[in-house]
Amino acid sequence: MVGKAARGFWLCALLVALAACTSVGTHTRERLAIDYGPPMPLRVCVLHTPDVAPRRIDALIAAVNEEFASYGITVVVPWVRPWQRAGFTHERLFEDVAQRRLEVPCDRLVAFVDRNAGDALWGLLMPEVLGMVDEATHTRGYVVATRASLNQLFVPPSKATVHEFYHLLGCPHAGSMDACYRAIAALKRAHDASADFVPGIDAAGGFVTTREDANQTLRDALAGRPGM
Ligand SMILES: [Zn+2]
């Protein structure tokens, strides 16, 4: 039996979280020097809380597509479904998204979450989290999509969304984007255009090549099974 505190700590260790001070790095000249290969659609299925309007989601996805155009990646949204936020803490929110299966044709699953007064208060008490992506497969995540706190004056939802979507491509937190560019090029090389899935990326940087494996790997990680 794992205590609540220990479980919380363990979950934090599993996640790549965006607090106000973290970054996937600043752009460098490498960005244009790397061959990213042919165009690749990334199918991201979307859950959203009632306060995040569909046009807001469209705007956030458009910001990602503007950013990803250099890599020949276009985010396509097969479906958008309403979703009730599962709880108050970021860990609880994330767990709910992570426990959902990736279904055909989704390559990734992202929840867009509204802020509420409780969250804004939370932000005064501890470094605020504006999104998370799972580290075991980099296929599931959530993004805070509305503004209600001081931190978000500095990290607007469009920037938080782009940041989390970089994690969905396997990009780490870093000072420069160089490792991220290489990760994106490697992911595109690993993608089989005839397959129906853009591989996930495991915690060691290896590829999770099927949707079934991505589901199983994340289920195992959430269950705390060894070997993850
Ligand atoms: Zn991050």
Side-chain angles (χ1 to χ4, degrees):
M1 191 70 186
V2 181
K4 199 178 172 195
R7 187 158 169 276
F9 174 80
W10 179 84
L11 256 180
C12 285
L14 178 73
L15 305 171
V16 185
L18 168 63
C21 58
T22 56
S23 165
V24 291
T26 52
H27 281 299
T28 72
R29 286 185 200 162
E30 276 293 291
R31 186 185 203 186
L32 301 176
I34 289 178
D35 177 6
Y36 298 100
M40 180 182 85
L42 181 72
R43 291 160 299 185
V44 179
C45 295
V46 170
L47 302 168
H48 69 101
T49 54
D51 288 0
V52 182
R55 67 174 184 282
R56 177 105 200 101
I57 296 167
D58 290 347
L60 294 171
I61 297 292
V64 173
N65 277 332
E66 191 179 329
E67 177 77 16
F68 284 5
S70 318
Y71 317 118
I73 293 175
T74 306
V75 173
V76 178
V77 179
W79 51 252
V80 175
R81 294 179 188 162
W83 176 68
Q84 294 293 334
R85 52 184 296 159
F88 179 73
T89 65
H90 296 291
E91 286 76 15
R92 184 68 197 91
L93 277 180
F94 181 79
E95 206 174 26
D96 182 88
V97 179
Q99 278 170 349
R100 287 163 191 264
R101 289 181 67 255
L102 271 185
E103 54 183 75
V104 177
C106 316
D107 297 311
R108 305 290 188 265
L109 178 66
V110 171
F112 287 95
V113 185
D114 59 305
R115 279 233 172 267
N116 62 30
D119 286 335
L121 185 62
W122 191 246
L124 296 175
L125 301 174
M126 61 180 289
E128 189 172 21
V129 177
L130 301 178
M132 285 183 177
V133 164
D134 86 273
E135 208 162 32
T137 67
H138 295 82
T139 58
R140 257 53 74 87
Y142 82 83
V143 178
V144 176
T146 54
R147 293 167 189 270
S149 75
L150 273 178
N151 266 2
Q152 287 192 310
L153 294 178
F154 304 103
V155 184
S158 59
K159 282 228 168 64
T161 305
V162 167
H163 177 103
E164 297 306 331
F165 275 60
Y166 268 121
H167 286 320
L168 294 176
L169 301 178
C171 292
H173 289 140
S176 102
M177 293 280 288
D178 289 357
C180 180
Y181 305 142
R182 289 193 292 272
I184 292 170
L187 176 65
K188 290 190 71 184
R189 282 195 302 273
H191 174 237
D192 175 355
S194 67
D196 77 334
F197 185 61
V198 172
I201 302 95
D202 69 22
F207 295 110
V208 183
T209 53
T210 69
R211 197 174 278 109
E212 293 67 35
D213 281 353
N215 285 328
Q216 188 63 49
T217 301
L218 191 48
R219 258 201 307 276
D220 289 350
L222 286 169
R225 287 179 197 137
M228 294 312 310

